Amino acid sequence: MDEQKVLSIKGLLDDTPEEYLSHKEKYENSIRKSVLFYKTLHSTEDENMSVDEKTKLNFRNIVTSAIFKDNSPFMLHNSMFIPTIMGQGTDEQREYWMKRAKNMEIIGTYAQTELGHGTFIRGLETQATYDPDTEEFVLHSPVLSSYKWWPGGLAHTANYCIVMARLYIKGKSHGIHPFMVQIRDEETHMPLPGIKLGEIGAKLGFNTVNNGFLGFENHRISRDRMLMKNAQVLKDGTFVAGSNSKLTYGTMVYVRVLIVSNMANMLAKAVTIALRYSAIRRQSQPKPDEPEPQILDYVTQQHKLFIAIASSHAFYMNAMWLWEIYYSVSLQLASGKLDNLPELHALACCLKPLSTIDATAMIEKCRLACGGHGYMLSANLAQTYGLATAAYTYEGENTVLLLQAARSLVKAWVGHVKGRPLKGTMAYLAGDSTVKAWDGSIDGIIQSFKVVAIRKISSVVKILQDYEKSGLSPEDAWNKASVFLTAASEAHGRAVLLSVYKSEMDKRAAVLSPPLRKVLLQLVDLYVTYWALEKVGDMLLYASITDKDVDELQRRYIELLAAIRPNAVGLVDAFDFRDEILNSTLGAYDGRAYERLMEEAMKSPLNAEPVNQTFHKYLKPFMRGKL
Ligand SMILES: CCCCCCCCCCCCCCCCCCCCCC(=O)SCCNC(=O)CCNC(=O)[C@H](O)C(C)(C)COP(=O)(O)OP(=O)(O)OC[C@H]1O[C@@H](n2cnc3c(N)ncnc32)[C@H](O)[C@@H]1OP(=O)(O)O
Ligand SMILES: Cc1cc2nc3c(=O)[nH]c(=O)nc-3n(C[C@H](O)[C@H](O)[C@H](O)COP(=O)(O)OP(=O)(O)OC[C@H]3O[C@@H](n4cnc5c(N)ncnc54)[C@H](O)[C@@H]3O)c2cc1C
């Protein structure tokens, strides 16, 4: 992959830091760069990157972060518009639209969320009413809450979008379906008649993504604009249902799977910055006659950072494993086999939330670990946090997804108690949940996490059943138990994350050199030990750990931090981020953080002149009592 070629293109990297631009300038700059970047990336992609789709996505995603601190307005075109055409279009529709979308003859986005509803897709209010006389759908936004709200690129960039709307035929609703809608004229880029468009305003992050709103006033589109791979509307208005209405949600499952690897990347970036800075920063003097130590030598600092390295590895291994499952389920779906879709959905609903919860918390910890300088935007930790925390909400709010996963876990457990077999990643629920002697081994601890999950699931099912027996409706019982339902999903997700990280690393261990194997397995050990201590309450409650075992675990954790310390810088260097990609005054390879901080400070527009005009206008008269 010719990364050098991508980065050497003149004009891709900003001379003036983005934060000094106005909102409008930021957008205009990001469009200019998106076009340049797209052209560069495209040729790179064709020449070198056809081997493997996931590596390609990963590469593009990493390089994108060098060019766009706050992401590109083309983001949704690549991550959701194209995948939805692929996943929801008929062969004919795919052939027509993919050609145009891939060549960037059209730019699209994915417009699902509305002002009134994001989570509850079945509550969406945008209407698509079929008119059999003209063989058209009439798109309409009946109330303010039905306006589309959030889609990236929707405001001023996209000229097409996939709109998720409620289908009506002869007064009857047939659920939510995807429609390909042209929203702007291809020549003038003016919004088409019956279409109201705009930008939703400044946000915590994503400020160059051009998130927009969209309303329809009886806007007509032809029948062939409904993406009809699953459900169809025939010319006469006959509705032909798909084999499973949830196939319409396919793009979301795809992106949830991708988010796990995206979190691995973001965390790797943040910890590279914080760790390199910790190696050059010196502070305090614990021993009177010795120089100030590197802050990385404080064990509390190692505690903040090393888990982020291990977590990035854990997410990456889990992401690749989940991608394989996604890929094989997609092949099965293509041949009409739906059996493994619920398992995939449940897994994505566990791993997307856990990876975004952990990554968000650990990126913020990396920022805090850099003290005052971590607060500078030029450190690029605040923006990284802004992007990561968005993923807590988008593509399914985390609590909501954990509750979806709980739905599958409860169903599986109830079935298991009735004697139905458990399969896939839930098969362990049928295992032994009795307390075993604690041996402190990695496998033993992972087994304890499985026991915790079994016990939490069985306990919350009992709570649900008791509430129902006492006369509560299933919905009210569910809501009452929901705090512990999400805890059960988290426990299952933790068991999956830990065991997949361990087993995927074991698979690779044989091909690694002994020294490398040793270090990478230390990270696995650190990850497992860290989480055993984080969840020590669960361990004490559900596994047979004693206070003496906890003591040993704590000592082991301290020793692991010490063992990893000599390789810590090497481990983040091994993530292999170029300085341009880190985009950080604190994290550059050469360690010249203070020089860079000063160079960046000098780029502040306020430093362009020694005296600011406000002195003469306000300060001086004010100080002389003349204002
Ligand atoms: C220049 C180059 C530039 C380069 C660019 C470089 C790009 C590089 C790209 C790479 C970077 C990657 C990073 C990504 C960034 C992406 C950014 C994305 C931005 C954000 C996009 C968005 O944010 S876009 C909107 C997402 N908005 C949601 O995410 C709504 C959540 N809300 C629900 O998803 C549903 O509302 C919810 C809760 C399931 C209930 O749905 P519901 O009410 O209909 O269903 P029920 O709860 O009643 O469940 C009824 C039964 O359906 C089953 N089921 C439900 N869902 C199912 C499913 N999906 N599959 C199978 N089965 C499913 C369930 O398991 C039940 O099964 P059973 O009955 O057997 O128990
Ligand atoms: C940066 C960003 C980019 C986005 N890009 C897009 C895009 O390109 N296209 C698009 O269509 N959308 C996009 N979205 C929208 C996003 O998908 C939604 O915001 C998300 O799905 C959450 O829905 P919501 O906003 O309705 O939250 P809400 O559901 O209103 O959540 C608010 C609170 O209510 C709780 N809650 C809601 N329902 C339940 C429940 N059933 N049980 C328990 N608690 C519940 C949640 O846990 C949360 O605490 C984007 C959002 C962000 C932040």
Side-chain angles (χ1 to χ4, degrees), residues 41-85:
L41 182 75
H42 222 56
S43 57
T44 310
E45 203 170 297
D46 290 344
E47 283 162 29
N48 303 318
M49 296 171 67
S50 57
V51 196
D52 192 347
E53 185 65 22
K54 59 184 187 288
T55 317
K56 201 192 303 181
L57 276 168
N58 211 26
F59 173 79
R60 185 163 62 195
N61 197 30
I62 291 169
V63 177
T64 303
S65 73
I67 316 294
F68 306 97
K69 266 195 183 174
D70 227 2
N71 257 317
S72 158
F74 288 0
M75 185 184 187
L76 267 285
H77 178 86
N78 290 309
S79 61
M80 292 194 83
F81 182 67
I82 287 182
T84 309
I85 298 171

Tab-separated table of all heavy atoms in Angstrom, residues 41-85:
chain	number	residue	atom	x	y	z
A	41	LEU	N	-6.988	8.091	-3.559
A	41	LEU	CA	-7.313	6.808	-2.953
A	41	LEU	C	-7.779	5.816	-3.993
A	41	LEU	O	-7.432	4.643	-3.966
A	41	LEU	CB	-8.420	7.008	-1.902
A	41	LEU	CG	-8.822	5.754	-1.151
A	41	LEU	CD1	-7.749	5.428	-0.139
A	41	LEU	CD2	-10.151	5.957	-0.469
A	42	HIS	N	-8.573	6.332	-4.927
A	42	HIS	CA	-9.134	5.449	-5.929
A	42	HIS	C	-8.054	4.739	-6.725
A	42	HIS	O	-8.103	3.545	-6.918
A	42	HIS	CB	-10.023	6.276	-6.857
A	42	HIS	CG	-11.273	5.557	-7.177
A	42	HIS	ND1	-12.123	5.115	-6.194
A	42	HIS	CD2	-11.814	5.181	-8.350
A	42	HIS	CE1	-13.145	4.494	-6.746
A	42	HIS	NE2	-12.983	4.515	-8.051
A	43	SER	N	-7.034	5.508	-7.157
A	43	SER	CA	-6.000	4.869	-7.949
A	43	SER	C	-5.189	3.909	-7.089
A	43	SER	O	-4.848	2.816	-7.508
A	43	SER	CB	-5.093	5.913	-8.596
A	43	SER	OG	-4.555	6.722	-7.592
A	44	THR	N	-4.971	4.309	-5.834
A	44	THR	CA	-4.231	3.427	-4.934
A	44	THR	C	-4.998	2.129	-4.778
A	44	THR	O	-4.447	1.040	-4.818
A	44	THR	CB	-4.082	4.108	-3.552
A	44	THR	OG1	-3.591	5.394	-3.753
A	44	THR	CG2	-3.140	3.332	-2.663
A	45	GLU	N	-6.305	2.300	-4.591
A	45	GLU	CA	-7.160	1.144	-4.371
A	45	GLU	C	-7.093	0.177	-5.550
A	45	GLU	O	-6.924	-1.024	-5.377
A	45	GLU	CB	-8.595	1.650	-4.207
A	45	GLU	CG	-9.495	0.730	-3.460
A	45	GLU	CD	-10.792	1.452	-3.170
A	45	GLU	OE1	-10.780	2.459	-2.456
A	45	GLU	OE2	-11.804	1.011	-3.699
A	46	ASP	N	-7.182	0.725	-6.765
A	46	ASP	CA	-7.192	-0.140	-7.937
A	46	ASP	C	-5.864	-0.885	-8.099
A	46	ASP	O	-5.828	-2.051	-8.391
A	46	ASP	CB	-7.459	0.684	-9.212
A	46	ASP	CG	-8.892	1.158	-9.201
A	46	ASP	OD1	-9.667	0.597	-8.402
A	46	ASP	OD2	-9.212	2.086	-9.960
A	47	GLU	N	-4.785	-0.169	-7.852
A	47	GLU	CA	-3.492	-0.793	-8.085
A	47	GLU	C	-3.105	-1.833	-7.036
A	47	GLU	O	-2.621	-2.896	-7.352
A	47	GLU	CB	-2.391	0.284	-8.087
A	47	GLU	CG	-2.345	1.081	-9.373
A	47	GLU	CD	-1.577	2.378	-9.167
A	47	GLU	OE1	-0.671	2.406	-8.299
A	47	GLU	OE2	-1.908	3.337	-9.851
A	48	ASN	N	-3.323	-1.465	-5.796
A	48	ASN	CA	-2.718	-2.291	-4.750
A	48	ASN	C	-3.663	-2.945	-3.775
A	48	ASN	O	-3.244	-3.712	-2.941
A	48	ASN	CB	-1.766	-1.420	-3.903
A	48	ASN	CG	-0.712	-0.768	-4.754
A	48	ASN	OD1	-0.172	-1.400	-5.645
A	48	ASN	ND2	-0.456	0.488	-4.507
A	49	MET	N	-4.939	-2.583	-3.813
A	49	MET	CA	-5.732	-2.932	-2.649
A	49	MET	C	-6.890	-3.880	-2.915
A	49	MET	O	-7.843	-3.909	-2.170
A	49	MET	CB	-6.253	-1.657	-1.998
A	49	MET	CG	-5.138	-0.799	-1.477
A	49	MET	SD	-5.735	0.775	-0.963
A	49	MET	CE	-6.713	0.288	0.439
A	50	SER	N	-6.790	-4.625	-3.979
A	50	SER	CA	-7.929	-5.466	-4.315
A	50	SER	C	-7.899	-6.813	-3.597
A	50	SER	O	-8.777	-7.617	-3.765
A	50	SER	CB	-7.989	-5.678	-5.819
A	50	SER	OG	-6.776	-6.251	-6.229
A	51	VAL	N	-6.887	-7.032	-2.792
A	51	VAL	CA	-6.722	-8.349	-2.184
A	51	VAL	C	-7.867	-8.679	-1.236
A	51	VAL	O	-8.490	-9.714	-1.319
A	51	VAL	CB	-5.390	-8.430	-1.389
A	51	VAL	CG1	-5.029	-9.863	-1.084
A	51	VAL	CG2	-4.291	-7.729	-2.144
A	52	ASP	N	-8.205	-7.754	-0.379
A	52	ASP	CA	-9.061	-8.128	0.719
A	52	ASP	C	-9.881	-6.911	1.153
A	52	ASP	O	-9.333	-5.905	1.567
A	52	ASP	CB	-8.146	-8.590	1.847
A	52	ASP	CG	-8.904	-9.278	2.947
A	52	ASP	OD1	-10.141	-9.191	2.961
A	52	ASP	OD2	-8.252	-9.869	3.787
A	53	GLU	N	-11.185	-7.049	1.079
A	53	GLU	CA	-12.065	-5.905	1.353
A	53	GLU	C	-11.838	-5.309	2.745
A	53	GLU	O	-11.786	-4.105	2.919
A	53	GLU	CB	-13.528	-6.354	1.214
A	53	GLU	CG	-14.558	-5.246	1.348
A	53	GLU	CD	-14.487	-4.200	0.251
A	53	GLU	OE1	-13.957	-4.494	-0.838
A	53	GLU	OE2	-14.956	-3.088	0.498
A	54	LYS	N	-11.651	-6.160	3.737
A	54	LYS	CA	-11.560	-5.603	5.092
A	54	LYS	C	-10.249	-4.850	5.317
A	54	LYS	O	-10.230	-3.817	5.970
A	54	LYS	CB	-11.763	-6.671	6.171
A	54	LYS	CG	-10.785	-7.832	6.151
A	54	LYS	CD	-11.200	-8.842	7.213
A	54	LYS	CE	-10.170	-9.944	7.355
A	54	LYS	NZ	-10.172	-10.877	6.205
A	55	THR	N	-9.174	-5.332	4.712
A	55	THR	CA	-7.910	-4.617	4.835
A	55	THR	C	-8.035	-3.272	4.143
A	55	THR	O	-7.535	-2.261	4.615
A	55	THR	CB	-6.781	-5.420	4.146
A	55	THR	OG1	-6.943	-6.764	4.496
A	55	THR	CG2	-5.425	-4.926	4.564
A	56	LYS	N	-8.759	-3.317	3.017
A	56	LYS	CA	-8.948	-2.097	2.244
A	56	LYS	C	-9.690	-1.045	3.076
A	56	LYS	O	-9.294	0.095	3.188
A	56	LYS	CB	-9.771	-2.454	1.002
A	56	LYS	CG	-9.647	-1.478	-0.117
A	56	LYS	CD	-10.679	-1.698	-1.195
A	56	LYS	CE	-10.695	-3.046	-1.824
A	56	LYS	NZ	-11.725	-3.144	-2.883
A	57	LEU	N	-10.771	-1.497	3.718
A	57	LEU	CA	-11.563	-0.583	4.531
A	57	LEU	C	-10.737	-0.043	5.684
A	57	LEU	O	-10.786	1.139	6.007
A	57	LEU	CB	-12.787	-1.317	5.099
A	57	LEU	CG	-13.981	-1.383	4.180
A	57	LEU	CD1	-15.003	-2.375	4.720
A	57	LEU	CD2	-14.627	-0.018	4.026
A	58	ASN	N	-9.974	-0.936	6.274
A	58	ASN	CA	-9.171	-0.560	7.410
A	58	ASN	C	-8.129	0.474	7.001
A	58	ASN	O	-7.943	1.493	7.656
A	58	ASN	CB	-8.472	-1.821	7.940
A	58	ASN	CG	-8.253	-1.733	9.423
A	58	ASN	OD1	-8.983	-1.030	10.117
A	58	ASN	ND2	-7.241	-2.414	9.900
A	59	PHE	N	-7.487	0.221	5.889
A	59	PHE	CA	-6.456	1.124	5.379
A	59	PHE	C	-7.065	2.494	5.090
A	59	PHE	O	-6.568	3.529	5.508
A	59	PHE	CB	-5.837	0.535	4.119
A	59	PHE	CG	-4.889	1.484	3.426
A	59	PHE	CD1	-3.606	1.660	3.901
A	59	PHE	CD2	-5.294	2.194	2.314
A	59	PHE	CE1	-2.735	2.540	3.278
A	59	PHE	CE2	-4.438	3.085	1.686
A	59	PHE	CZ	-3.150	3.251	2.164
A	60	ARG	N	-8.203	2.462	4.362
A	60	ARG	CA	-8.823	3.726	3.982
A	60	ARG	C	-9.208	4.524	5.222
A	60	ARG	O	-9.029	5.723	5.303
A	60	ARG	CB	-10.062	3.443	3.119
A	60	ARG	CG	-10.685	4.709	2.586
A	60	ARG	CD	-11.616	4.437	1.434
A	60	ARG	NE	-12.720	3.604	1.829
A	60	ARG	CZ	-13.524	2.989	0.964
A	60	ARG	NH1	-13.319	3.069	-0.319
A	60	ARG	NH2	-14.527	2.260	1.385
A	61	ASN	N	-9.720	3.786	6.174
A	61	ASN	CA	-10.155	4.425	7.400
A	61	ASN	C	-8.991	5.072	8.146
A	61	ASN	O	-9.096	6.191	8.644
A	61	ASN	CB	-10.816	3.343	8.259
A	61	ASN	CG	-11.645	3.934	9.343
A	61	ASN	OD1	-12.181	5.013	9.178
A	61	ASN	ND2	-11.723	3.244	10.446
A	62	ILE	N	-7.871	4.374	8.204
A	62	ILE	CA	-6.707	4.912	8.914
A	62	ILE	C	-6.154	6.139	8.178
A	62	ILE	O	-5.887	7.172	8.772
A	62	ILE	CB	-5.600	3.828	9.061
A	62	ILE	CG1	-6.086	2.743	10.034
A	62	ILE	CG2	-4.297	4.429	9.562
A	62	ILE	CD1	-5.206	1.509	10.046
A	63	VAL	N	-6.038	6.010	6.858
A	63	VAL	CA	-5.488	7.139	6.092
A	63	VAL	C	-6.450	8.325	6.150
A	63	VAL	O	-6.026	9.482	6.260
A	63	VAL	CB	-5.186	6.721	4.638
A	63	VAL	CG1	-4.696	7.912	3.842
A	63	VAL	CG2	-4.125	5.629	4.628
A	64	THR	N	-7.765	8.029	6.136
A	64	THR	CA	-8.745	9.114	6.209
A	64	THR	C	-8.491	9.977	7.439
A	64	THR	O	-8.606	11.196	7.396
A	64	THR	CB	-10.182	8.535	6.281
A	64	THR	OG1	-10.378	7.709	5.161
A	64	THR	CG2	-11.227	9.633	6.255
A	65	SER	N	-8.099	9.331	8.531
A	65	SER	CA	-7.939	10.094	9.768
A	65	SER	C	-6.749	11.051	9.706
A	65	SER	O	-6.661	11.979	10.501
A	65	SER	CB	-7.829	9.135	10.962
A	65	SER	OG	-6.568	8.497	10.947
A	66	ALA	N	-5.832	10.828	8.772
A	66	ALA	CA	-4.715	11.774	8.620
A	66	ALA	C	-5.189	13.046	7.944
A	66	ALA	O	-4.728	14.142	8.230
A	66	ALA	CB	-3.601	11.147	7.789
A	67	ILE	N	-6.102	12.868	7.029
A	67	ILE	CA	-6.515	14.001	6.195
A	67	ILE	C	-7.664	14.768	6.853
A	67	ILE	O	-7.768	15.971	6.748
A	67	ILE	CB	-6.988	13.489	4.804
A	67	ILE	CG1	-6.044	12.419	4.249
A	67	ILE	CG2	-7.188	14.625	3.827
A	67	ILE	CD1	-4.666	12.872	3.923
A	68	PHE	N	-8.538	14.015	7.510
A	68	PHE	CA	-9.739	14.627	8.096
A	68	PHE	C	-9.748	14.373	9.593
A	68	PHE	O	-10.110	13.286	10.037
A	68	PHE	CB	-11.003	14.016	7.479
A	68	PHE	CG	-11.040	14.074	5.990
A	68	PHE	CD1	-10.651	12.977	5.228
A	68	PHE	CD2	-11.445	15.224	5.338
A	68	PHE	CE1	-10.672	13.032	3.840
A	68	PHE	CE2	-11.457	15.287	3.962
A	68	PHE	CZ	-11.065	14.185	3.201
A	69	LYS	N	-9.353	15.392	10.359
A	69	LYS	CA	-9.369	15.212	11.817
A	69	LYS	C	-10.789	14.937	12.291
A	69	LYS	O	-10.999	14.282	13.288
A	69	LYS	CB	-8.859	16.484	12.498
A	69	LYS	CG	-7.379	16.468	12.805
A	69	LYS	CD	-7.051	17.581	13.797
A	69	LYS	CE	-5.570	17.640	14.079
A	69	LYS	NZ	-5.195	18.761	14.906
A	70	ASP	N	-11.753	15.502	11.592
A	70	ASP	CA	-13.138	15.408	12.047
A	70	ASP	C	-14.010	14.656	11.036
A	70	ASP	O	-15.213	14.781	11.053
A	70	ASP	CB	-13.683	16.833	12.256
A	70	ASP	CG	-14.391	16.979	13.575
A	70	ASP	OD1	-14.428	16.008	14.336
A	70	ASP	OD2	-14.931	18.072	13.830
A	71	ASN	N	-13.379	13.923	10.160
A	71	ASN	CA	-14.028	13.076	9.149
A	71	ASN	C	-14.500	13.807	7.896
A	71	ASN	O	-14.608	15.015	7.867
A	71	ASN	CB	-15.162	12.263	9.746
A	71	ASN	CG	-14.724	10.827	9.956
A	71	ASN	OD1	-14.080	10.258	9.104
A	71	ASN	ND2	-15.050	10.264	11.099
A	72	SER	N	-14.789	13.000	6.871
A	72	SER	CA	-15.107	13.557	5.554
A	72	SER	C	-16.615	13.566	5.291
A	72	SER	O	-17.322	12.675	5.736
A	72	SER	CB	-14.415	12.686	4.492
A	72	SER	OG	-15.042	12.835	3.245
A	73	PRO	N	-17.082	14.547	4.516
A	73	PRO	CA	-18.512	14.545	4.149
A	73	PRO	C	-18.862	13.377	3.210
A	73	PRO	O	-20.043	13.140	2.947
A	73	PRO	CB	-18.715	15.886	3.432
A	73	PRO	CG	-17.430	16.601	3.504
A	73	PRO	CD	-16.359	15.691	3.963
A	74	PHE	N	-17.829	12.690	2.682
A	74	PHE	CA	-18.095	11.517	1.830
A	74	PHE	C	-18.253	10.244	2.668
A	74	PHE	O	-18.462	9.163	2.132
A	74	PHE	CB	-16.920	11.262	0.868
A	74	PHE	CG	-16.773	12.259	-0.251
A	74	PHE	CD1	-17.641	13.329	-0.389
A	74	PHE	CD2	-15.742	12.108	-1.183
A	74	PHE	CE1	-17.488	14.238	-1.434
A	74	PHE	CE2	-15.580	13.008	-2.233
A	74	PHE	CZ	-16.451	14.078	-2.349
A	75	MET	N	-18.092	10.386	3.967
A	75	MET	CA	-18.046	9.219	4.844
A	75	MET	C	-19.237	8.268	4.656
A	75	MET	O	-19.093	7.062	4.538
A	75	MET	CB	-18.031	9.734	6.283
A	75	MET	CG	-17.866	8.692	7.326
A	75	MET	SD	-17.996	9.515	8.927
A	75	MET	CE	-17.559	8.150	9.976
A	76	LEU	N	-20.418	8.851	4.597
A	76	LEU	CA	-21.618	8.010	4.500
A	76	LEU	C	-21.792	7.412	3.119
A	76	LEU	O	-22.414	6.373	2.950
A	76	LEU	CB	-22.852	8.831	4.910
A	76	LEU	CG	-23.253	8.737	6.386
A	76	LEU	CD1	-23.919	7.411	6.680
A	76	LEU	CD2	-22.100	8.946	7.352
A	77	HIS	N	-21.225	8.082	2.108
A	77	HIS	CA	-21.291	7.539	0.754
A	77	HIS	C	-20.626	6.159	0.738
A	77	HIS	O	-21.186	5.186	0.232
A	77	HIS	CB	-20.573	8.491	-0.207
A	77	HIS	CG	-20.538	8.013	-1.626
A	77	HIS	ND1	-21.562	8.256	-2.503
A	77	HIS	CD2	-19.613	7.284	-2.309
A	77	HIS	CE1	-21.266	7.705	-3.677
A	77	HIS	NE2	-20.082	7.108	-3.591
A	78	ASN	N	-19.444	6.117	1.339
A	78	ASN	CA	-18.686	4.860	1.338
A	78	ASN	C	-19.192	3.860	2.362
A	78	ASN	O	-19.254	2.673	2.098
A	78	ASN	CB	-17.210	5.152	1.623
A	78	ASN	CG	-16.548	5.858	0.477
A	78	ASN	OD1	-16.635	5.413	-0.657
A	78	ASN	ND2	-15.947	6.996	0.754
A	79	SER	N	-19.519	4.368	3.562
A	79	SER	CA	-19.798	3.402	4.632
A	79	SER	C	-21.227	2.912	4.665
A	79	SER	O	-21.488	1.842	5.211
A	79	SER	CB	-19.387	3.987	5.986
A	79	SER	OG	-20.124	5.153	6.257
A	80	MET	N	-22.190	3.672	4.092
A	80	MET	CA	-23.585	3.190	4.161
A	80	MET	C	-24.366	3.250	2.853
A	80	MET	O	-25.204	2.392	2.594
A	80	MET	CB	-24.346	3.944	5.268
A	80	MET	CG	-23.836	3.587	6.648
A	80	MET	SD	-24.909	4.092	8.005
A	80	MET	CE	-26.112	2.768	8.081
A	81	PHE	N	-24.118	4.286	2.025
A	81	PHE	CA	-24.892	4.409	0.777
A	81	PHE	C	-24.564	3.226	-0.144
A	81	PHE	O	-25.456	2.469	-0.558
A	81	PHE	CB	-24.543	5.744	0.128
A	81	PHE	CG	-25.277	6.062	-1.159
A	81	PHE	CD1	-26.635	6.301	-1.162
A	81	PHE	CD2	-24.581	6.153	-2.371
A	81	PHE	CE1	-27.310	6.617	-2.343
A	81	PHE	CE2	-25.237	6.473	-3.548
A	81	PHE	CZ	-26.602	6.700	-3.537
A	82	ILE	N	-23.273	3.037	-0.393
A	82	ILE	CA	-22.858	1.937	-1.280
A	82	ILE	C	-23.239	0.572	-0.686
A	82	ILE	O	-23.849	-0.255	-1.368
A	82	ILE	CB	-21.354	2.054	-1.631
A	82	ILE	CG1	-21.172	3.212	-2.625
A	82	ILE	CG2	-20.794	0.750	-2.187
A	82	ILE	CD1	-19.757	3.437	-3.120
A	83	PRO	N	-22.923	0.315	0.602
A	83	PRO	CA	-23.334	-0.981	1.150
A	83	PRO	C	-24.850	-1.228	1.091
A	83	PRO	O	-25.285	-2.370	0.933
A	83	PRO	CB	-22.847	-0.917	2.604
A	83	PRO	CG	-21.692	0.020	2.573
A	83	PRO	CD	-22.041	1.045	1.533
A	84	THR	N	-25.656	-0.169	1.196
A	84	THR	CA	-27.108	-0.385	1.140
A	84	THR	C	-27.546	-0.728	-0.283
A	84	THR	O	-28.420	-1.592	-0.481
A	84	THR	CB	-27.877	0.857	1.664
A	84	THR	OG1	-27.336	1.210	2.921
A	84	THR	CG2	-29.362	0.556	1.825
A	85	ILE	N	-26.935	-0.084	-1.264
A	85	ILE	CA	-27.267	-0.463	-2.652
A	85	ILE	C	-26.911	-1.933	-2.847
A	85	ILE	O	-27.694	-2.726	-3.388
A	85	ILE	CB	-26.480	0.404	-3.672
A	85	ILE	CG1	-26.853	1.875	-3.530
A	85	ILE	CG2	-26.756	-0.075	-5.106
A	85	ILE	CD1	-25.970	2.820	-4.356
